[in-house]
Amino acid sequence: MANAETALKEATTAIDGALGAALVDYTSGMALGTIGGGKDLDLTVAAAGNTDVVRAKVRTMEMLGLHEEIEDILITLGTQYHLIRLLKARGTNGLFLYLALDKNRANLAMARHQLKKIEAELEV
């Protein structure tokens, strides 16, 4: 089992094109851990902003009466992919992994697969 720091390191080293990653508590909007990022990608700001995205999607699904679980949310920008994976393992309720990818270097399908694997190994 991997702790948060190990999981984030794996996300940025094992996933081609990774620019940064964060483990986020969407009940508070706080980043529990971050790696990567930089002056053009403030992961603390991204964590708080993407918390709003997750909350809005959860609310919308409730209003629609959809009884499904969100696997991930993809935001596609001109040069980047932003991938949000809601965690489902015991003890991870209210958490998500956030991954920013360089669109020209990343393989989106492989990134989703790797993030799912990282989630399965994560122990919080």
Side-chain angles (χ1 to χ4, degrees):
M1 289 304 214
N3 65 20
E5 183 180 345
T6 303
L8 293 174
K9 282 181 184 174
E10 185 176 346
T12 56
T13 57
I15 299 174
D16 288 338
L19 301 171
L23 177 63
V24 184
D25 176 348
Y26 70 81
T27 58
S28 69
M30 298 291 296
L32 304 177
T34 63
I35 190 167
K39 68 178 180 80
D40 294 330
L41 180 61
D42 184 330
L43 291 170
T44 305
V45 172
N50 285 306
T51 293
D52 292 336
V53 171
V54 170
R55 288 177 185 163
K57 187 59 188 172
V58 168
R59 251 189 336 270
T60 302
M61 289 178 60
E62 288 171 358
M63 290 187 299
L64 292 171
L66 296 175
H67 303 287
E68 299 276 340
E69 288 187 348
I70 299 170
E71 286 185 21
D72 52 42
I73 298 169
L74 172 65
I75 300 167
T76 305
L77 305 177
T79 61
Q80 297 177 2
Y81 294 122
H82 291 214
L83 190 57
I84 300 166
R85 180 157 187 95
L86 277 69
L87 304 184
K88 311 236 181 341
R90 189 181 72 226
T92 62
N93 192 30
L95 301 179
F96 67 86
L97 284 168
Y98 166 73
L99 179 66
L101 300 160
D102 179 323
K103 198 173 178 181
N104 291 321
R105 294 182 16 234
N107 177 322
L108 186 56
M110 287 302 296
R112 289 182 70 222
H113 176 74
Q114 277 297 120
L115 212 51
K116 184 177 182 178
K117 181 181 172 201
I118 290 167
E119 174 194 5
E121 297 171 357
L122 179 63
E123 186 175 289
V124 179

